[in-house]
Amino acid sequence: MTLRALRVTLPWTFRRRFAALPFRRPWSPRHLDLPRPLPKVGAEVEDKDEEEQVVRISEITPNQVRELLPPVLRGPGVQDLFAEVKRPHLWLQHDDQDFLGLQDVGRFVKLTREDLLEQLPEGGCGELFRDLTLIPSRTRDVGLMVRKVTAELIEQLAELQEHTDSRNRKCIPKAGFLLDGHKGTGKSQVLNLLAMWARKNGWLVVLEPCPGRYSREIAEIKRSNNGVYIQSEFAQQFLEAMSLANRLMLEEIPLDRRSYGSRSIDGEDLKVTRRLYEPLIQKTVDTEVEAEGLGGVEELKRIASYRRQVRIPSMVDVMPDPQNVPTLPVGPSSSVRDGLGPKTEVWEIVEFGLENPEYAVQAVAETFVQLQRQRTHPVLVVVDAWNECFPVSEYVSIRYDNTRFNGYIPAYHLSMPRALHRWDGHRFQRGLKLCATSWQRSNRRDYRPELLGVQAHQIRTVRNFTQQEFANYVMYLRLMKVLHNFPAEDLEYFYMLTQGNGFQARKVLSTLY
């Protein structure tokens, strides 16, 4: 309110008093009469005119704080209470790594090399092991940064792990999540941390870090009647990698006999494979009807008879009734399992695929079907570079000449990318899918996930580093001795130069420093 407005609103007597008030400066803590620090014992009293001592908080040492405590708290037994936390803004402590929250965004989870090999036996997603090669030490602990998306997904997975339906049956009512973002934002590192967290918390994790290798690496392929190219060698590699960390859980999942044998040797649905023989059966019956003059009833009987005679190669012919009777120990503890009889497990399908390469592709498909039906363990299917399951592969075939594929076989016509390319997380009764995109080899402008059944609320976008995350990332590189003599005053300049992109930051900083 201005002085002119006060003159209008206030009475005349108040205006005179208000005009006589002196002008006061803004208040500050320096106007308080604070006590000065006491002189040391034996020292001379300083003159009042001498300049006051200035005590800065940054100059206070822990020993000075400890001297202010009572004598009871100065003993040797309480030294651990004052132990300094080394860079609490950068590292998560080992005791807090299982409980992540939004307050931990930007900090690093400290991991040993043994933890990486134990929790990620299939291999790390993205360029994790390229980051490890930049570190000079081969024994030092490494770290993975906690991003905002990581904390949010961990919170949702923790809630879904023990979710039950109206019948009190364990289930997961979500199809999954798709991580999207520009190249170098850290989508693959989010998958690595989520996969490790899930395995430590009792999830059965099926991890595929690089599905694009099935379409780029050359191996023997065979075409089936469905038009799918069977990759037996790659299927065995996938089963072997999956069994390294999940064998104990697969042995605990009972086999669903109703769905066992529902896939053919190329991994496709058995009903779809049988339909391929319908035109041949119909043509044969029509020829017999014209030659023998059969009626309508006899024609239907002939069609049904020919359908039963169709034999499709399957692992059911070799292993029709898989059984595994576990060896029970002799003693009082053996009575716990007495009377249960033969126990059939999902692990037997995986083991059969490892021993018989001609049925490895079917074993992969049968394993996924069993994981969709079971409710014993929560299942998380993690696929990095999911969009690489759709472009053309390095394989050529004359069948694709004069088509939009220009003679190359599409990746989703190969058996292994075909087993991972569907957005079928809703088929899992107690599981979901977690996929991420990769734009290292393809262009993002042709990307339309809605055509694959991905809904908008299932997409999570991973952004570039914030300034705090970028500062912690640079500090982490310096601690790992990847960077040398990095000027701290240029931190904002390089953040502006790289826009907080992790791939560009690693490329620029490792080249210059």
Side-chain angles (χ1 to χ4, degrees), residues 95-96 376 444 470:
D95 298 338
D96 301 335
T376 307
R444 196 168 183 266
F470 184 78

Side-chain angles (χ1 to χ4, degrees), residues 22-208:
F23 175 74
R24 295 183 179 181
R25 295 182 178 180
W27 178 86
S28 66
R30 289 180 295 179
H31 297 155
L32 298 176
D33 189 11
L34 298 177
R36 298 181 180 181
L38 297 176
K40 298 181 181 179
V41 180
E44 299 180 357
V45 180
E46 299 179 355
D47 191 11
K48 295 183 179 181
D49 297 336
E50 188 176 355
E51 185 178 357
E52 298 180 357
Q53 297 182 2
V54 179
V55 180
R56 297 182 180 179
I57 297 179
S58 59
E59 298 178 354
I60 300 177
T61 61
N63 294 330
Q64 295 177 351
V65 176
R66 191 177 293 106
E67 292 176 356
L68 299 177
L69 297 176
V72 181
L73 298 179
R74 299 181 189 178
V78 294
Q79 296 296 330
D80 297 336
L81 298 176
F82 308 99
E84 298 182 1
V85 179
K86 295 184 179 180
R87 300 181 178 89
H89 64 283
L90 183 66
W91 294 106
L92 279 174
Q93 302 303 312
H94 287 283
D95 298 338
D96 301 335
Q97 293 189 156
D98 296 334
F99 306 96
L100 298 178
L102 293 178
Q103 70 276 5
D104 302 319
V105 174
R107 299 163 71 184
F108 281 84
V109 178
K110 185 176 293 186
L111 303 168
T112 62
R113 303 299 178 101
E114 290 76 12
D115 290 339
L116 289 177
L117 295 177
E118 180 181 358
Q119 302 297 331
L120 298 176
E122 302 91 345
C125 300
E127 299 181 348
L128 173 62
F129 292 101
R130 181 177 295 182
D131 296 337
L132 297 180
T133 55
L134 294 177
I135 302 176
S137 176
R138 293 294 177 263
T139 58
R140 188 172 184 177
D141 296 348
V142 297
L144 292 178
M145 181 183 290
V146 179
R147 308 296 302 279
K148 181 181 179 182
V149 179
T150 308
E152 293 175 350
L153 291 179
I154 285 178
E155 183 178 358
Q156 295 195 33
L157 292 178
E159 294 180 358
L160 294 172
Q161 185 171 2
E162 299 297 334
H163 185 271
T164 56
D165 57 4
S166 59
R167 299 182 181 179
N168 202 20
R169 298 179 304 179
K170 293 184 178 181
C171 67
I172 295 180
K174 283 186 177 293
F177 303 96
L178 176 63
L179 301 182
D180 188 27
H182 293 283
K183 175 184 177 181
T185 54
K187 303 181 292 298
S188 300
Q189 304 304 327
V190 172
L191 292 184
N192 288 327
L193 197 55
L194 286 174
M196 299 180 67
W197 176 88
R199 279 182 172 154
K200 288 183 178 180
N201 289 270
W203 287 69
L204 194 156
V205 180
V206 181
L207 176 61
E208 178 48 62

Side-chain angles (χ1 to χ4, degrees), residues 51 57 87 107 145 159 213 217 251 264 272 309 321 335 386 388 423 455 462 495 511:
E51 185 178 357
I57 297 179
R87 300 181 178 89
R107 299 163 71 184
M145 181 183 290
E159 294 180 358
R213 73 183 185 91
E217 298 180 5
E251 291 178 351
S264 59
V272 177
Q309 296 178 17
D321 190 16
S335 60
W386 183 57
E388 293 188 1
W423 184 254
Q455 301 181 10
V462 182
Y495 178 77
T511 303

Side-chain angles (χ1 to χ4, degrees), residues 86-361:
K86 295 184 179 180
R87 300 181 178 89
H89 64 283
L90 183 66
W91 294 106
L92 279 174
Q93 302 303 312
H94 287 283
D95 298 338
D96 301 335
Q97 293 189 156
D98 296 334
F99 306 96
L100 298 178
L102 293 178
Q103 70 276 5
D104 302 319
V105 174
R107 299 163 71 184
F108 281 84
V109 178
K110 185 176 293 186
L111 303 168
T112 62
R113 303 299 178 101
E114 290 76 12
D115 290 339
L116 289 177
L117 295 177
E118 180 181 358
Q119 302 297 331
L120 298 176
E122 302 91 345
C125 300
E127 299 181 348
L128 173 62
F129 292 101
R130 181 177 295 182
D131 296 337
L132 297 180
T133 55
L134 294 177
I135 302 176
S137 176
R138 293 294 177 263
T139 58
R140 188 172 184 177
D141 296 348
V142 297
L144 292 178
M145 181 183 290
V146 179
R147 308 296 302 279
K148 181 181 179 182
V149 179
T150 308
E152 293 175 350
L153 291 179
I154 285 178
E155 183 178 358
Q156 295 195 33
L157 292 178
E159 294 180 358
L160 294 172
Q161 185 171 2
E162 299 297 334
H163 185 271
T164 56
D165 57 4
S166 59
R167 299 182 181 179
N168 202 20
R169 298 179 304 179
K170 293 184 178 181
C171 67
I172 295 180
K174 283 186 177 293
F177 303 96
L178 176 63
L179 301 182
D180 188 27
H182 293 283
K183 175 184 177 181
T185 54
K187 303 181 292 298
S188 300
Q189 304 304 327
V190 172
L191 292 184
N192 288 327
L193 197 55
L194 286 174
M196 299 180 67
W197 176 88
R199 279 182 172 154
K200 288 183 178 180
N201 289 270
W203 287 69
L204 194 156
V205 180
V206 181
L207 176 61
E208 178 48 62
C210 185
R213 73 183 185 91
Y214 299 130
S215 60
R216 291 193 300 268
E217 298 180 5
I218 304 301
E220 183 181 359
I221 59 176
K222 296 179 182 179
R223 188 179 184 274
S224 66
N225 294 333
N226 283 324
V228 179
Y229 292 86
I230 302 175
Q231 298 175 303
S232 301
E233 181 181 353
F234 288 148
Q236 282 191 310
Q237 295 177 6
F238 178 80
L239 292 174
E240 184 178 1
M242 182 176 61
S243 63
L244 293 176
N246 302 316
R247 175 170 181 173
L248 297 179
M249 290 187 175
L250 291 174
E251 291 178 351
E252 298 174 357
I253 299 176
L255 185 69
D256 186 5
R257 297 182 180 274
R258 294 176 298 176
S259 58
Y260 174 65
S262 60
R263 294 296 182 267
S264 59
I265 197 171
D266 58 354
E268 292 299 299
D269 194 345
L270 190 61
K271 297 180 180 179
V272 177
T273 307
R274 289 185 179 276
R275 291 173 191 167
L276 299 175
Y277 297 91
E278 291 294 331
L280 181 60
I281 294 174
Q282 188 65 39
K283 185 177 179 180
T284 304
V285 173
D286 291 342
T287 304
E288 293 179 356
V289 168
E290 293 179 0
E292 302 177 10
L294 302 177
V297 178
E298 186 64 25
E299 180 182 357
L300 294 178
K301 291 182 178 180
R302 292 285 182 93
I303 292 176
S305 176
Y306 287 139
R307 285 177 178 174
R308 288 191 296 268
Q309 296 178 17
V310 174
R311 292 292 182 265
I312 299 175
S314 175
M315 62 186 298
V316 182
D317 301 334
V318 184
M319 191 173 60
D321 190 16
Q323 292 181 356
N324 181 19
V325 182
T327 303
L328 300 180
V330 178
S333 61
S334 62
S335 60
V336 179
R337 295 285 301 275
D338 288 345
L340 295 181
K343 181 183 178 182
T344 307
E345 305 160 349
V346 178
W347 166 250
E348 296 184 32
I349 300 178
V350 178
E351 189 177 15
F352 182 81
L354 292 174
E355 296 176 355
N356 302 273
E358 59 273 11
Y359 297 105
V361 174

Side-chain angles (χ1 to χ4, degrees), residues 461-472:
T461 303
V462 182
R463 309 291 182 182
N464 288 333
F465 288 150
T466 61
Q467 290 186 356
Q468 178 186 359
E469 293 173 345
F470 184 78
N472 286 351

Side-chain angles (χ1 to χ4, degrees), residues 406-444:
N406 296 323
Y408 292 92
I409 302 176
Y412 52 87
H413 287 182
L414 302 174
S415 60
M416 284 311 301
R418 193 174 185 83
L420 304 169
H421 86 288
R422 298 183 182 89
W423 184 254
D424 54 356
H426 60 281
R427 298 182 180 273
F428 289 85
Q429 295 184 0
R430 196 186 177 191
L432 71 160
K433 260 192 171 182
L434 183 60
C435 303
T437 57
S438 176
W439 305 113
Q440 186 175 2
R441 299 177 181 273
S442 57
N443 199 332
R444 196 168 183 266

